[in-house]
Amino acid sequence: MARLLLIFVISLSLLCDGCGGSWAVAGNWGTSTTKHVSGVVSGMYLQYLTDLNGIVQTMTVVTFVSSGVPTPVTFCGDQTGVFQENENVTVTYDPGTACADLISAHKV
């Protein structure tokens, strides 16, 4: 949908190029994907994934529990040194395709 709008705006600007006015286009093209999760660390384990080039990628799966609801997040790399079980934390991360990039983790 955004591409159609962009094509429409560009087409319109080309048609009105000689109209003697000025025009501008503004928008938020790169929306933030940063996410947050808070809760008590109830479990954590390492997981390994072999990519298409045969390279093994390490990931850390951490489960956060808040109000009785578990939320598992898979982080890129070995993050076991960042988290401790039964610790209440707030985490900021960028989700990815296979795993999330950890931005910050703070004890609550």
Side-chain angles (χ1 to χ4, degrees):
M1 184 68 171
R3 286 185 183 175
L4 288 175
L5 179 61
L6 182 61
I7 291 170
F8 173 74
V9 170
I10 291 172
S11 299
L12 186 62
S13 68
L14 292 175
L15 290 174
C16 291
D17 190 37
C19 296
S22 63
W23 55 276
V25 177
N28 186 1
W29 304 110
T31 58
S32 175
T33 59
T34 301
K35 300 213 180 255
H36 307 277
V37 64
S38 294
V40 175
V41 177
S42 68
M44 170 176 41
Y45 64 92
L46 290 176
Q47 184 174 351
Y48 303 94
L49 175 71
T50 304
D51 68 14
L52 296 175
N53 297 319
I55 299 171
V56 177
Q57 302 292 328
T58 303
M59 296 175 282
T60 307
V61 180
V62 182
T63 301
F64 304 93
V65 177
S66 180
S67 300
V69 179
T71 303
V73 180
T74 303
F75 295 104
C76 302
D78 183 348
Q79 305 296 336
T80 55
V82 176
F83 303 103
Q84 293 182 2
E85 288 198 30
N86 299 316
E87 184 175 64
N88 194 5
V89 296
T90 296
V91 176
T92 303
Y93 63 95
D94 280 328
T97 304
C99 56
D101 290 320
L102 178 64
I103 296 172
S104 66
H106 302 284
K107 294 180 186 179
V108 178

